[in-house]
Structures are given as C-alpha cells and as structure tokens.
Amino acid sequence: VQEMAAQEAKDIEEKGIAQAAQEALKAAADAAKATAASALEAAKVVAKDAAEAASNTVDAAVAAVTCVMIVEFVNEKGAVQKVDFKTKTIGFSFALGSSGCCG
C-alpha cells in the first residue's frame, strides 16, 4: 500500500495534479462501465431463466388439467421439441432406486 501511494505521489509530481486526476477519473469510469456491462449480462440471464420457469409452470398446469403428458427433447444445439401424449398411455412409469444388488 505504501509503495502504491508513493507511486501515485510520484505520478502526481511528474504529470501534475490535473492530469493525474483526469487519469484516475478515466480509470474509475472504465471500471464502472465494465461493472455495468457485467451486471446487464447477469440481468439478461436471470430474466431468461425466469421466463423459462414461468413457461414451464404454465405447461405443467395445462398438462395436469388436461391429463396430457408433455415430454421435451433438447438436442445438442439446445433446440427444444415438445411432444404431447394426449390419448394413449405410453408405458412410462416412475420407479424409485433400490439399494443393494438384488432390488
């Protein structure tokens, strides 16, 4: 800390107070701009996740009311395809994992 303060004092001496202050303000503005950009990106991600969660909730409610099973498939590129099973049972069942080797 003392070395940094000594360097700042030396810079002020060499460049003059006005130029040193201008450089310090520019550095602070650049840091604030970077922080704002980072916060904006984080907000975009949160908004996208919230919208997806809301959509999933609506889909689940519709499926529960209409007795439809909805299956979403996501490919390696992230594209989502939904399939609705409305009339026939398809044989899916949920099973709990068992402990031990023989069930």
Side-chain angles (χ1 to χ4, degrees), residues 48-93:
K48 181 182 175 193
D49 290 346
E52 187 175 324
S55 174
N56 289 342
T57 301
V58 170
D59 288 346
V62 169
V65 170
T66 60
C67 297
V68 173
M69 181 175 188
I70 299 172
V71 179
E72 289 186 354
F73 298 96
V74 181
N75 69 13
E76 62 274 353
K77 294 180 182 177
V80 177
Q81 181 178 3
K82 287 184 184 180
V83 179
D84 299 341
F85 296 96
K86 297 176 183 174
T87 57
K88 295 181 181 179
T89 58
I90 56 174
F92 288 135
S93 62

Side-chain angles (χ1 to χ4, degrees), residues 25-40:
L25 286 173
K26 184 180 181 318
D30 290 345
K33 184 177 179 182
T35 301
S38 177
L40 179 61

Side-chain angles (χ1 to χ4, degrees), residues 3-51:
E3 291 175 13
M4 288 173 42
Q7 183 62 40
E8 287 295 323
K10 183 179 177 184
D11 289 346
I12 290 172
E13 240 178 63
E14 291 175 357
K15 299 176 185 175
I17 294 174
Q19 187 176 357
Q22 186 178 16
E23 289 174 1
L25 286 173
K26 184 180 181 318
D30 290 345
K33 184 177 179 182
T35 301
S38 177
L40 179 61
E41 285 301 315
K44 286 179 183 179
V45 169
V46 168
K48 181 182 175 193
D49 290 346

